[in-house]
Amino acid sequence: MGWLWAAMTSGALALFSTYWDDSLHTDIGRDTFWSAPHMLLYGSILVTLGTLARWAWPQARREGTAGILRDPVLRGAAVSGAAVGISAPADAAWHTAFGRDAVLWSPPHLLAVAATMALTVALLRAVVQQGGSRLPVMAADSLVLAAALVPVMEYDSDVPQFSALWYLPVVSAGATLAVVVIRRFDPHPNAVVHAALLVTAARLLTVGFLALLGHSTPVVPPVLLVAIAVDLVHRWRTSPWWSALVVPAAVHAAYVPLLPVMPHGTEVSADQVAPSLLLALSASALVVLMSEDVPSPRRRTVEATVVASALLIAFPLLTAPRALAHDPGQGADAGQARWRAFVGEHEVDVTLTTDDPALRPVELVARRAGEKATGRLTPVPDGTDRGRIALHAEGRWFLYATFKDARNRTAESWVAVQQGSGRNLTTTRPVYLPPPQTYGAGRTAATVGLYGLAAAILLTVARSGRTHRAPQPRQSGRN
């Protein structure tokens, strides 16, 4: 069990480092490859893969490739390791071919998220197979739940790329998948509550660490309330299909009233609650269908319902505009800009001074959750550029000042502002040339391929161990 404890500890550090990295992107933008959160992330992933491989090595050496393919736990570990290995070069190739981006739901980033989920499930299966006390199983359960919440990291940090309408449906889908997987491998009646307790404690530590560093912090998700509802219902209704009802309802009941009072929470407006719940129910039903067999007498009804749910989810996704809210990857250096801004209730007054007199001001642009606001930015006789922009929604906005340089190329600089904060902001920020983005058939094909691979990984995760019935721990010489 020692090697698995090492793998779980490094896995927890990898999940923590994703929130640290996201915080730096929010506060300072694109940073160096050698930044502390990057090094912790990559190092932790390598340690997780290495220690998991070391745990599996005795059996793999005895039985060879055939043994790995025959053993579902070793097979799952190998698949998850391969998925993690593919995601890093896929991300690098994407940025090289199509330009840099900072959107969590971009194809290579979602592939990495799916690979991480597969890795946590492989760890859970290994821990259950190894046997032992309750604590390592709880730790493995919590990693599965924590990984399932990573897709909403930007919403949890109030830097949404897309409409808040999608926030809670994605929480519901991820939580439903985690509940199904945890229940499949951990028969304890309070398994989900135990996992949620550890996830909550880990998020509190993350918030405290980032606050000490002076960085932006994510919310502490109220998943414990969701877990309590799930485990209570499970005492009377053990079918996984109940999760498709209970999880979305509990997520909305817990999140909607608490998000407005949480620092840096992305609020779901009153007019979005009903469609959000409908989408969440549809998404959770799809997750359960991926995970479980449908009883023959109800197959046609369930399949028809799921097809309708898929169409309901797909239509707004296919018609959604390209995301551009968070830092879009920055680019080549073009100087420095001195920002002085007052963030009022609904407007931001801006005064800018650049170190390159050839930069001509164009406009102010504010972006948040797929929404965009614009304002004038004009030069004044004292050598500064001044402007004002109205922000029509609550939350954190990314405010861009755009310029034209001596060669008539677009340059920009940005800061993050909290609407209605009443704060005076003074800071020096880079001016850069935004990198070009490549669109076309090649990008479309790569998008379909990477999303398809991510979906295949998640399908494998959802269906892993479906015949598992809490076997007796196997005696092993591994340590």
Side-chain angles (χ1 to χ4, degrees), residues 205-276:
L205 290 173
T206 299
V207 169
F209 177 83
L210 295 177
L212 284 175
L213 294 181
H215 295 320
S216 296
T217 58
V219 298
V220 178
V223 289
L224 183 56
L225 298 176
V226 178
I228 291 171
V230 168
D231 279 350
L232 283 175
V233 172
H234 186 73
R235 295 176 187 273
W236 292 278
R237 296 290 185 269
T238 59
S239 169
W241 284 98
W242 280 94
S243 298
L245 295 174
V246 176
V247 172
V251 164
H252 283 73
Y255 275 73
V256 171
L258 290 177
L259 284 172
V261 299
M262 290 182 176
H264 298 155
T266 300
E267 296 183 34
V268 179
S269 61
D271 62 324
Q272 292 176 320
V273 172
S276 172

Side-chain angles (χ1 to χ4, degrees), residues 33-407:
F33 172 84
W34 303 105
S35 69
H38 285 175
M39 292 298 96
L40 180 59
L41 174 61
Y42 303 139
S44 298
I45 290 292
L46 288 175
V47 171
T48 302
L49 292 174
T51 50
L52 185 58
R54 175 61 183 83
W55 173 84
W57 173 245
Q59 181 178 343
R61 182 177 57 183
R62 287 193 310 269
E63 303 179 16
T65 303
I68 295 176
L69 295 177
R70 192 166 50 246
D71 189 310
V73 176
L74 294 184
R75 188 171 63 245
V79 169
S80 65
V84 172
I86 291 170
S87 65
D91 185 51
W94 176 276
H95 295 317
T96 299
F98 309 120
R100 299 167 73 177
D101 67 70
V103 182
L104 180 60
W105 291 0
S106 71
H109 295 162
L110 271 189
L111 176 61
V113 170
T116 301
M117 184 69 182
L119 185 58
T120 61
V121 173
L123 281 170
L124 172 59
R125 299 191 70 178
V127 168
V128 171
Q129 179 172 280
Q130 184 72 18
S133 66
R134 174 73 190 144
L135 184 58
V137 178
M138 290 171 54
D141 287 344
S142 69
L143 287 180
V144 172
L145 180 56
L149 296 176
V150 169
V152 294
M153 178 173 60
E154 291 175 335
Y155 285 105
D156 282 352
S157 304
D158 197 27
V159 288
Q161 302 279 8
F162 301 91
S163 168
L165 176 66
W166 295 103
Y167 184 9
L168 301 188
V170 177
V171 172
S172 299
T176 300
L177 178 58
V179 167
V180 169
V181 170
I182 290 170
R183 283 283 173 213
R184 186 175 292 157
F185 297 108
D186 183 359
H188 194 281
N190 297 317
V192 182
V193 166
H194 292 165
L197 276 169
L198 292 179
V199 168
T200 302
R203 186 65 68 86
L204 285 169
L205 290 173
T206 299
V207 169
F209 177 83
L210 295 177
L212 284 175
L213 294 181
H215 295 320
S216 296
T217 58
V219 298
V220 178
V223 289
L224 183 56
L225 298 176
V226 178
I228 291 171
V230 168
D231 279 350
L232 283 175
V233 172
H234 186 73
R235 295 176 187 273
W236 292 278
R237 296 290 185 269
T238 59
S239 169
W241 284 98
W242 280 94
S243 298
L245 295 174
V246 176
V247 172
V251 164
H252 283 73
Y255 275 73
V256 171
L258 290 177
L259 284 172
V261 299
M262 290 182 176
H264 298 155
T266 300
E267 296 183 34
V268 179
S269 61
D271 62 324
Q272 292 176 320
V273 172
S276 172
L277 180 57
L278 181 60
L279 288 169
L281 290 166
S282 302
S284 292
L286 284 172
V287 169
V288 176
L289 181 67
M290 286 195 309
S291 307
E292 303 294 329
D293 286 325
V294 181
S296 297
R298 303 176 183 175
R299 185 178 298 275
R300 289 186 178 181
T301 301
V302 171
E303 288 178 348
T305 302
V306 169
V307 168
S309 300
L311 293 174
L312 178 67
I313 295 171
F315 178 75
L317 281 177
L318 294 174
T319 57
R322 295 188 183 112
L324 188 59
H326 198 355
D327 158 40
Q330 294 186 217
D333 181 67
Q336 298 283 318
R338 178 73 171 172
W339 285 78
R340 285 177 293 164
F342 174 71
V343 186
E345 184 65 27
H346 299 292
E347 291 183 328
V348 182
D349 291 302
V350 175
T351 300
L352 279 165
T353 306
T354 62
D355 60 2
D356 183 355
L359 289 173
R360 307 186 310 275
V362 177
E363 66 176 349
L364 294 171
V365 179
R367 299 188 182 105
R368 172 183 169 83
E371 298 184 38
K372 177 180 176 181
T374 59
R376 296 182 62 186
L377 182 63
T378 57
V380 294
D382 63 3
T384 63
D385 304 318
R386 294 182 182 176
R388 175 178 294 176
I389 189 168
L391 306 180
H392 50 273
E394 295 183 359
R396 181 187 279 124
W397 288 75
F398 285 85
L399 178 58
Y400 293 78
T402 61
F403 307 88
K404 291 292 184 179
D405 68 2
R407 296 166 58 183

